[in-house]
Amino acid sequence: TAGITQAPTSQILAAGRSMTLRCTQDMRHNAMYWYRQDLGLGLRLIHYSNTAGTTGKGEVPDGYSVSRANTDDFPLTLASAVPSQTSVYFCASSWTVDQPQHFGDGTRLSIL
Amino acid sequence: DAKTTQPPSMDCAEGRAANLPCNHSTISGNEYVYWYRQIHSQGPQYIIHGLKNNETNEMASLIITEDRKSSTLILPHATLRDTAVYYCIVRVVGTNAGKSTFGDGTTLTVKP
């Protein structure tokens, strides 16, 4: 069973470059989320989607964009990466916004 | 969503019960209390959640005070593999509320 798949697992990116982190779930969950986790800290919500076709801003949305064209995919794009975006990025999904979230294994992103 | 307060760290002897407190004094009537844990650098794992009644599953028990301003996660017989960061969060019930902040959590260390 796949659950949530994130790609790539890790990436080193030059500052100023753009990048899209991929997230795919096979559970037909309605809601999806992107978090970032800086070293030694908790998770902070970047963007979320209650259902396909809708998105919303979380706690730290600046510098990131998302789209939800279908139920399964929720890509996160950094248009012009900056070193402060170095972090571990987790994607999650849930049946609805008040149901338990299932998390992927994360993408470790370093911006140099 | 209401903010939660957790102690930064706790120790527990292997085989004993681990009681992890969480304060959510500003919780509103339509917010659930959720607990997750994160082992090392893996994605968070859902443990249990509740609205106002105490809950129990195969992993843990959740005790919510009558005024709902605090809760306690109980791991009845802690093992070394329960060493992790435990997060208490509150989330609004509804179809248009996907925001959730994890905070820094409690680092539980189970010792032999």
Side-chain angles (χ1 to χ4, degrees):
Chain A
T1 57
I4 292 188
T5 302
Q6 291 187 236
T9 303
S10 63
Q11 182 75 44
I12 298 173
L13 186 69
R17 300 297 295 271
S18 67
M19 178 164 187
T20 295
L21 307 185
R22 300 185 298 278
C23 177
T24 299
Q25 53 105 357
D26 62 1
M27 298 173 283
R28 307 300 295 173
H29 284 173
N30 289 303
M32 296 187 75
Y33 316 81
W34 273 106
Y35 295 87
R36 62 175 288 174
Q37 184 174 33
D38 299 334
L39 189 62
L41 299 179
L43 285 78
R44 291 183 293 171
L45 185 66
I46 305 171
H47 285 287
Y48 65 94
S49 169
N50 291 327
T51 188
T54 69
T55 63
K57 294 181 179 180
E59 182 185 3
V60 288
D62 294 343
Y64 306 95
S65 63
V66 292
S67 61
R68 188 87 186 277
N70 58 60
T71 297
D72 299 343
D73 302 300
F74 192 43
L76 176 73
T77 298
L78 289 70
S80 179
V82 295
S84 62
Q85 291 178 309
T86 293
S87 190
V88 180
Y89 291 84
F90 288 103
C91 179
S93 70
S94 61
W95 278 112
T96 61
V97 296
D98 51 4
Q99 292 298 307
Q101 295 181 29
H102 299 257
F103 285 81
D105 293 331
T107 293
R108 285 151 184 78
L109 183 62
S110 296
I111 312 297
L112 303 179
Chain B
D1 291 339
K3 182 178 179 179
T4 61
T5 303
Q6 299 177 254
S9 63
M10 292 182 63
D11 291 342
C12 177
E14 186 178 18
R16 305 296 295 270
N19 297 281
L20 293 93
C22 180
N23 181 285
H24 31 79
S25 58
T26 61
I27 193 170
S28 58
N30 62 345
E31 289 183 313
Y32 281 91
V33 179
Y34 278 80
W35 283 85
Y36 291 81
R37 73 180 182 183
Q38 187 174 28
I39 297 174
H40 194 44
S41 57
Q42 300 174 18
Q45 174 191 24
Y46 164 76
I47 301 173
I48 198 168
H49 74 286
L51 185 61
K52 55 182 178 181
N53 296 322
N54 297 337
E55 301 289 343
T56 296
N57 62 21
E58 66 278 3
M59 291 182 67
S61 295
L62 174 61
I63 308 299
I64 303 174
T65 58
E66 189 169 348
D67 62 7
R68 301 186 70 242
K69 293 185 177 182
S70 65
S71 62
T72 300
L73 178 74
I74 300 173
L75 307 179
H77 305 288
T79 70
L80 298 179
R81 287 181 290 183
D82 291 323
T83 292
V85 179
Y86 287 77
Y87 296 100
C88 167
I89 65 171
V90 292
R91 299 186 64 197
V92 176
V93 173
T95 59
N96 197 30
K99 298 185 178 183
S100 57
T101 299
F102 273 61
D104 293 338
T106 296
T107 298
L108 174 69
T109 302
V110 180
K111 298 184 175 181

